[in-house]
Amino acid sequence: MKLVCSTAAVALLSGAPVRAQSTDTATPAALADTPAEPAIVVTGMRASLERAQAVKQKSTSVVEALAAEDIGKLPQSSVADSLGRLSGLAGERRAGRMSGISVRGFREDFVGTTMNGRELIGIGDNRGVEYDLYPSEIIDSAVVYKTPSADLSAMGVGGTVDLRTIHPLEHKRTLVANGTLEKNAMKSKNPDFKDSGYRLALSFSDKFADDTIGVALTAATTSSPTQDQYFSVWGYDKGAITSGPDAGKYAPAGIDISSRSRVLKRNTLAGVIEFKPSDVFHATFDALYIDFSDRGISRGFIEALPIAADGSTVISSNATAITSARTTGFNSVLRTDPLDKRGKLKTFGGNLKYEPSQDFHVMLDVSHSESTKRDTRAESYSGLGRAGLTTQGPNNLRTYSYSGNGLTFSNNSQSFNDYDVVRLAGPQSWGGSLSPISQLNQSAVIGASGQPIGFAQAQDGFVNTGIFDENLNALRFEVQKDFEDSLVTHLNIGVRWSDHKKSKANEGYFLTAQTYPLDGAIPESARRGTADVNWAGLGNVVAYDALALINSNFYTRYSAAELEPDRMGDTYVIREKVWQPFVKADFEHQFAGARMFGNVGVQGVITRQRGSGYNSVVGANQFVIATPITDGANYSRVLPSLNLNFDFGGGQTLRFAASKVISRPRIDYLNPGSSVKFRNNVANVTNPDPSLGPWVSTSGNAELRPYEANQLDLSYEYYFAADGFVSLAGFYKDLVNWNVATTTIRDFTQFYIPGYHQAVSSDGSTIYTPATFKGLNTTYRGGLKGQVKGVELQFSLPLRQLTPALDGLGLVGGAAYTDGALDDGSAVPGLSKYVYKLTGYFEKSGFSARVSLNKRTGYLSEDRGGSNTISPVNRAGETLVDAQIGYDFKNTGIEYLKGLRISLQGQNLTNQKDVYTDSASGLVTRVETFGRNVLLNLTYSFF
């Protein structure tokens, strides 16, 4: 079922009513069964907003809510699309899809996520859940807790998101089919990938055996394409020009530019069975299975952009940077990179409730979750011939121009669209790590330098594979005592136990073509035509099926784990065993003419964490030595919470909350292993700056404690109509412990191996030794402090309040200002200073239309870096505009059409780009253009 927002843009509910229980801070595993609200047959925006508003108004915490709309009415593809539109939340696009969520300025790694009240794992690299993994059809409702209560299973410094599946005993009989056609407005620039897709779903819910057994089943399948014009630079070098008027100005060091096409395929099965034979016993069993793949191709260039050191090839510049120049030449590497990410998620849960009396309740909840992901990003190199061969073609000269959209090129001296010219081999001598592979040493083929072609010229590609496995077992036992005519209305005492394990295997393989030490043409069987990179001024390039070649015997593989220390250094297993005892008291009382209500409680967190990994270095024989290491810590935390609310009548509510919250340390930070790596390309080896040189090392810290914050919340809400309100909220978070990556300069002389730690020119004629033996060491520590504070304004305004002539029209929106930083001046990941949301809608007589705007300013995020590691990135602000029109045939009087709804939706109508910037220079480092997206949705309700 499609999710919709309760208090922000595109807030639409017109499906099953939200349970009364859901409007409180109690989780779905709460002990007392609340009778289902009577079914209300309503449609339209007004009824949607009324029910959503009731959720917010009745809650004892500061919350935002989602609920299932009539199935498929607004065809968003995942939970992330809807969550990102709630007030105080901000969505983050990744690879063109909304995936990440920030709550009050904290990205998803610092947000607790549960499903049916149980802690939820994902298929991400870290703790954060990839919300786009979950199709909206499987979710009945969701609540975002901005202030916690003591019985929450998973807290976060940012908040907690609880996703909830359907409870069939509370829903009417339903059978709905949903179909969506999807089309990318930006055509695929790769001949072997499409720009159209689909989504199909079938949902069923019914009750049997005199309404004592309920069954709900959902099956959904998705094939969703994206197109990406990808621009990236390696960085900006102030030392490229050493003399002349442009000396010391920033110049781009190199590029990674490609046309990318991807397709997300996701198959989902979800089921719930409820059994309630009497008023004293209630059992619920639910299961979820998701099988997904995200496959794609990237075709373009990766190359250095050398310019004359005296600035003679500069065409134009400004006060700080080169804006146009002619390169002095580089043998371009035409990269064809297959992307193949596959994963599975399984969750199973059982909830048993027993009520021996009307005022005493017992609950037992048991769950198991497991996920696997294999994320492969391969590289296949081609160009004008193998590096060092006498037959290799000349260097490529280009003219580049800089703008806010990155670099564009012209006057290229070479072209790469002819299969008779392009050779399938590495044009650069990037194979330094292959030095210990004896079979690569030969003397039959002599290169242009007069020396034999060798290991340095043998790298023709690479395969990066990250393998993630995760499982979570949990058990929760709770009792609840109800009181009448008392300040305390409910007392909950319970305990939760969990055993969590997550592992990563960082695998990689160097690829050498069968033709080595020569090169060869691209095999006829792999040719697919040409790919289009004209948008960057780079013309058309040959397109071939690199994945098929990699999976065949065309390449010989050499394990990077034996040759690169950062592979084993980033391979680890993290295990956590946690006990969470808690007590919570709900209260309600008349106080000074107002109804005072809320809850107070305390949760304990008793944790035993252990990590195992490897200390990895290159030995004297030039192979990796990986030494196992195990470390960990035990810690306990006490987390009090108070939610105090005053209902003054007339729709006015004042809320105050105080609490202590934590987020467990990042998984990758807890890796106790370490590695020392040497980057053997010429640009790094010859750079005397330790921050840009060849030496880098990394070490984790399995003794880290959780992120911690003390927080205060104050909000005022005025409800002036059943579907109209305005609210103003303020919050303050005192960050008392924050874990960060720290970088220091280290001397690597002890690791130097002569004849190995070096770089070789592309023609093999020159060997470069390190210009410095100092480099950067990165490790992780806690103890940093900081603060985050913010103000949130939101409203829902039905325009009929102004005049009946505007009935059917309305506005829903909000704005959030969030400010804060860590004490060292660094940014909080996910924090945008300003977030705005606005939706204008019209719905009447079956017709509907809406336009939505979501805007956020720049923020710190992260992305996959080299060797399967995670790197911080600065993302520029963005504004996303969506629109939809639709028609519901229910009241047309045509019997066979009464269950039909149709809608047409446009996404990213302004063609918003994803932009990344360099923190030092402020220059653009990456731009991704995805284009607009159009979806046509048909939904039919059989009953």
Side-chain angles (χ1 to χ4, degrees):
M1 296 184 182
K2 152 88 188 59
L3 290 182
V4 291
C5 306
S6 67
T7 56
V10 294
L12 304 175
L13 299 98
S14 54
V18 178
R19 295 181 297 152
Q21 181 179 343
S22 301
T23 66
D24 208 334
T25 55
T27 66
L31 300 180
D33 283 324
T34 303
E37 296 178 0
I40 304 174
V41 181
V42 293
T43 59
M45 191 74 168
R46 179 176 176 181
S48 303
L49 294 175
E50 286 180 3
R51 286 193 296 271
Q53 186 170 300
V55 173
K56 183 176 181 67
Q57 187 173 7
K58 295 176 183 178
S59 174
T60 59
S61 292
V62 178
V63 304
E64 308 301 337
L66 303 175
E69 198 180 347
D70 281 344
I71 298 174
K73 186 170 184 181
L74 182 64
Q76 294 173 352
S77 61
S78 73
V79 177
D81 292 325
S82 295
L83 287 173
R85 302 171 189 270
L86 288 170
S87 177
L89 281 72
E92 179 178 355
R93 288 196 303 178
R94 293 168 191 153
R97 300 186 183 93
M98 195 68 71
S99 176
I101 297 294
S102 294
V103 179
R104 287 188 159 176
F106 295 86
R107 68 190 313 271
E108 65 269 17
D109 285 319
F110 313 106
V111 174
T113 304
T114 59
M115 178 172 282
N116 296 324
R118 307 180 187 113
E119 184 178 359
L120 185 64
I121 63 175
I123 308 186
D125 292 5
N126 227 293
R127 293 194 189 275
V129 170
E130 294 179 324
Y131 291 101
D132 64 334
L133 178 66
Y134 303 94
S136 54
E137 290 86 356
I138 70 172
I139 304 299
D140 180 61
S141 61
V143 174
V144 179
Y145 294 89
K146 294 179 177 177
T147 62
S149 58
D151 57 348
L152 287 178
S153 296
M155 291 188 185
V157 173
T160 298
V161 176
D162 183 34
L163 308 177
R164 302 175 179 180
T165 56
I166 192 172
H167 285 249
L169 289 180
E170 300 178 5
H171 287 254
K172 64 181 181 180
R173 185 171 181 243
T174 303
L175 177 62
V176 177
N178 189 320
T180 300
L181 295 177
E182 180 177 1
K183 179 72 173 178
N184 304 142
M186 189 167 72
K187 293 184 178 181
S188 173
K189 291 176 171 52
N190 290 290
D192 43 357
F193 276 78
K194 298 179 180 180
D195 49 27
S196 59
Y198 62 85
R199 186 168 136 234
L200 301 171
L202 185 66
S203 299
F204 168 79
S205 178
D206 205 353
K207 292 175 277 193
F208 307 92
D210 297 325
D211 292 348
T212 61
I213 297 176
V215 177
L217 300 170
T218 298
T221 183
T222 296
S223 179
S224 176
T226 57
Q227 314 304 325
D228 182 4
Q229 294 177 177
Y230 181 93
F231 160 81
S232 176
V233 297
W234 300 351
Y236 292 92
D237 187 358
K238 295 186 70 173
I241 301 177
T242 57
S243 62
D246 293 311
K249 293 183 178 180
Y250 288 106
I255 56 167
D256 181 358
I257 295 179
S258 59
S259 292
R260 300 183 173 188
S261 299
R262 305 172 74 133
V263 58
L264 170 69
K265 293 190 175 182
R266 180 182 60 210
N267 297 311
T268 304
L269 293 173
V272 180
I273 298 176
E274 280 191 285
F275 178 52
K276 190 176 182 181
S278 67
D279 290 337
V280 301
F281 180 74
H282 187 182
T284 304
F285 303 95
D286 56 82
L288 171 64
Y289 172 77
I290 299 176
D291 185 346
F292 89 101
S293 69
D294 190 358
R295 305 185 68 185
I297 196 72
S298 171
R299 294 186 172 106
F301 294 94
I302 181 169
E303 61 186 78
L305 298 176
I307 56 178
D310 62 2
S312 58
T313 58
V314 172
I315 298 172
S316 64
S317 64
N318 58 30
T320 60
I322 306 303
T323 56
S324 182
R326 181 72 171 170
T327 67
T328 56
F330 187 84
N331 217 291
S332 301
V333 180
L334 177 59
R335 281 264 294 265
T336 300
D337 294 1
L339 312 171
D340 189 5
K341 180 166 64 173
R342 301 169 183 264
K344 294 181 180 181
L345 173 72
K346 303 174 185 177
T347 69
F348 309 92
N351 183 270
L352 304 177
K353 298 175 183 176
Y354 176 61
E355 302 180 5
S357 64
Q358 290 185 346
D359 62 355
F360 192 74
H361 319 276
V362 181
M363 185 274 288
L364 176 66
D365 191 90
V366 180
S367 62
H368 169 76
S369 303
E370 60 183 70
S371 69
T372 62
K373 181 177 75 170
R374 186 180 185 92
D375 191 350
T376 296
R377 307 182 184 202
E379 304 168 5
S380 174
Y381 309 153
S382 59
L384 301 183
R386 181 177 299 281
L389 286 178
T390 57
T391 56
Q392 186 181 25
N395 285 348
N396 191 10
L397 282 71
R398 306 185 189 273
T399 298
Y400 67 78
S401 298
Y402 174 86
S403 72
N405 291 322
L407 298 179
T408 54
F409 294 85
S410 61
N411 299 320
N412 306 298
S413 65
Q414 307 296 325
S415 60
F416 296 81
N417 59 353
D418 189 343
Y419 282 98
D420 292 332
V421 173
V422 175
R423 312 295 285 175
L424 193 52
Q428 292 293 322
S429 298
W430 287 347
S433 295
L434 293 169
S435 173
I437 307 300
S438 58
Q439 54 264 48
L440 296 177
N441 297 324
Q442 58 84 43
S443 58
V445 178
I446 305 300
S449 66
Q451 299 297 317
I453 298 296
F455 63 87
Q457 294 80 38
Q459 185 176 348
D460 299 328
F462 198 88
V463 177
N464 271 302
T465 299
I467 302 174
F468 299 85
D469 290 287
E470 186 171 10
N471 61 71
L472 173 67
N473 296 310
L475 185 149
R476 176 183 176 123
F477 179 75
E478 186 177 350
V479 296
Q480 176 177 308
K481 173 66 176 176
D482 302 333
F483 301 93
E484 293 185 3
D485 302 322
S486 172
L487 172 63
V488 175
T489 56
H490 309 289
L491 180 65
N492 295 69
I493 300 175
V495 63
R496 177 180 180 269
W497 170 86
S498 63
D499 186 353
H500 175 233
K501 179 182 178 182
K502 185 159 188 170
S503 65
K504 176 182 180 181
N506 189 335
E507 295 184 353
Y509 299 91
F510 290 91
L511 302 178
T512 300
Q514 294 174 342
T515 54
Y516 175 83
L518 300 175
D519 56 26
I522 297 170
E524 291 277 355
S525 61
R527 298 181 183 184
R528 297 293 182 266
T530 59
D532 181 358
V533 201
N534 284 285
W535 55 270
L538 298 177
N540 292 330
V541 298
V542 297
Y544 60 94
D545 189 347
L547 186 62
L549 294 174
I550 292 171
N551 290 334
S552 69
N553 294 322
F554 184 83
Y555 292 103
T556 300
R557 296 189 179 204
Y558 301 101
S559 173
E562 298 178 1
L563 303 170
E564 290 187 325
D566 54 341
R567 299 290 166 175
M568 294 303 293
D570 191 39
T571 295
Y572 55 81
V573 177
I574 307 299
R575 188 161 189 173
E576 300 163 314
K577 294 185 177 181
V578 183
W579 288 91
Q580 294 170 263
F582 64 87
V583 57
K584 185 191 75 167
D586 295 315
F587 57 83
E588 184 173 353
H589 187 68
Q590 290 297 125
F591 179 81
R595 182 174 71 94
M596 179 182 71
F597 64 102
N599 61 66
V600 62
V602 62
Q603 180 182 119
V605 179
I606 305 166
T607 303
R608 183 179 188 270
Q609 68 187 25
R610 292 292 182 272
S612 59
Y614 300 88
N615 289 330
S616 184
V617 297
V618 173
N621 64 353
Q622 302 180 11
F623 283 99
V624 168
I625 300 174
T627 305
I629 182 174
T630 300
D631 198 4
N634 300 330
Y635 63 84
S636 299
R637 294 293 184 270
V638 177
L639 309 177
S641 61
L642 169 68
N643 289 283
L644 179 62
N645 309 285
F646 295 92
D647 180 359
F648 297 104
Q652 300 187 75
T653 301
L654 183 68
R655 302 181 185 273
F656 171 78
S659 59
K660 183 179 183 66
V661 292
I662 65 171
S663 292
R664 293 200 292 274
R666 289 173 56 108
I667 292 291
D668 54 345
Y669 284 14
L670 292 175
N671 171 23
S674 66
S675 65
V676 175
K677 183 177 181 178
F678 184 84
R679 298 179 291 193
N680 53 21
N681 61 73
V682 174
N684 291 119
V685 172
T686 58
N687 199 316
D689 184 345
S691 63
L692 300 174
W695 301 97
V696 290
S697 63
T698 303
S699 58
N701 185 354
E703 299 182 4
L704 289 173
R705 299 318 196 247
Y707 303 86
E708 299 180 38
N710 299 318
Q711 63 182 36
L712 298 173
D713 290 80
L714 182 66
S715 66
Y716 169 76
E717 300 163 3
Y718 174 50
Y719 299 89
F720 54 84
D723 56 346
F725 79 96
V726 62
S727 73
L728 181 66
F731 67 90
Y732 174 79
K733 296 177 184 284
D734 180 22
L735 307 179
V736 296
N737 184 62
W738 197 264
N739 301 321
V740 293
T742 61
T743 301
T744 57
I745 294 179
R746 173 185 182 184
D747 192 320
F748 290 85
T749 303
Q750 62 177 314
F751 302 103
Y752 177 61
I753 302 173
Y756 173 75
H757 288 127
Q758 62 187 28
V760 181
S761 62
S762 60
D763 61 5
S765 63
T766 307
I767 294 177
Y768 301 92
T769 57
T772 179
F773 288 94
K774 292 185 177 180
L776 299 182
N777 176 65
T778 300
T779 188
Y780 309 100
R781 65 173 179 86
L784 193 62
K785 301 180 184 298
Q787 61 178 349
V788 173
K789 55 184 179 295
V791 178
E792 298 167 350
L793 172 68
Q794 58 179 312
F795 64 89
S796 175
L797 176 61
L799 295 184
R800 70 176 187 280
Q801 294 289 316
L802 304 178
T803 171
L806 298 179
D807 185 34
L809 288 166
L811 296 172
V812 181
Y817 167 79
T818 308
D819 189 24
L822 303 174
D823 285 351
D824 65 354
S826 58
V828 173
L831 191 152
S832 290
K833 195 166 189 176
Y834 299 99
V835 177
Y836 305 100
K837 303 171 187 295
L838 180 65
T839 293
Y841 64 87
F842 171 77
E843 192 164 75
K844 197 170 187 179
S845 303
F847 291 97
S848 63
R850 72 200 69 163
V851 178
S852 298
L853 178 147
N854 290 271
K855 177 182 177 64
R856 70 181 300 187
T857 54
Y859 59 100
L860 176 66
S861 186
E862 63 183 31
D863 196 15
R864 180 71 63 85
S867 300
N868 284 322
T869 58
I870 299 299
S871 302
V873 292
N874 294 305
R875 298 198 60 170
E878 62 182 12
T879 302
L880 300 177
V881 178
D882 301 334
Q884 178 187 284
I885 57 173
Y887 186 74
D888 190 336
F889 290 82
K890 182 176 182 179
N891 296 319
T892 60
I894 305 174
E895 183 65 23
Y896 63 88
L897 291 180
K898 69 178 184 180
L900 177 65
R901 295 185 300 275
I902 184 171
S903 65
L904 179 66
Q905 184 182 13
Q907 299 174 332
N908 191 27
L909 294 180
T910 59
N911 193 19
Q912 173 70 60
K913 298 174 171 60
D914 284 358
V915 179
Y916 301 72
T917 58
D918 177 52
S919 57
S921 66
L923 297 171
V924 171
T925 58
R926 178 169 144 194
V927 179
E928 294 187 73
T929 305
F930 302 104
R932 301 169 183 85
N933 211 34
V934 179
L935 300 97
L936 175 65
N937 174 259
L938 296 173
T939 299
Y940 194 87
S941 300
F942 295 92
F943 51 79

